[in-house]
Amino acid sequence: MFRYIDIHTHALESPSDGISVLNHYDHFEQAASDQRYCSLGIHPWYINEAEPEAQLVSLGRYAALPQVLAIGECGLDKVTETPFSLQERAFEAQLQLAQQLQKPLIIHCVRAFEELIRMVHSAAITVPVIVHGFNKNRHLAKQLLDQGFFLSFGKALLKEGLLQEIFAVLPVDRFFLETDNSGLDIAAIYKAAAEIRKIQADEIILQLQLNFKNVFGK
Ligand SMILES: [Zn+2]
């Protein structure tokens, strides 16, 4: 049985003692030639403004593959150049796709959490929604948890501060860990997570295996 689970990474290599969910934000056909777990999604930074429909068609073509565990990262970003209305359209389509395929969503969200909650709500999404790279305040964490969302934490956990305080008291069944593009070993993030929550390393390993099974069915 693997120990560590990295639910969102851009690192091509899997951890030696674990599994990872590799993220593809373009060239979705890559998923077809690789049996490893991955997530596919149109990132708000990388929407093809000339041909957004073709990009969605390509996503839809590969997203149903069994090794594709989630749709995303997708979402909304108020700090990028991509027109917001185009982001909303791409996100809406991906919400529908995730719901149709019954796969969880991995969310990228920057300064657009109200819009995120509104869109997820009005699309009547029942699949799990995971906000990745969470690094915000207590109020927002509570707001997202109240919506039933999951939060995923990465390298920001290694820095002492408010985020650690939030993480320390988070419900055990509502979080994941990830390396994203940090280049860190997922084991280092697990170590920090166990220390912050003042629990044994094995306890967090078992809990995250359980969370992974509940959300991703694996
Ligand atoms: Zn990422």
Side-chain angles (χ1 to χ4, degrees), residues 70-71 74 91 94-95 98 103-107 125 127-131:
I71 305 304
C74 57
F91 185 43
Q94 292 177 94
L95 288 174
K103 295 191 181 190
L105 285 147
I106 295 177
I107 303 293
I125 293 303
V127 295
V129 175
I130 304 157
V131 174

Side-chain angles (χ1 to χ4, degrees), residues 23-34:
N23 183 255
H24 295 294
Y25 54 82
D26 59 7
H27 298 289
F28 299 127
E29 69 280 1
Q30 292 174 98
S33 55
D34 192 342

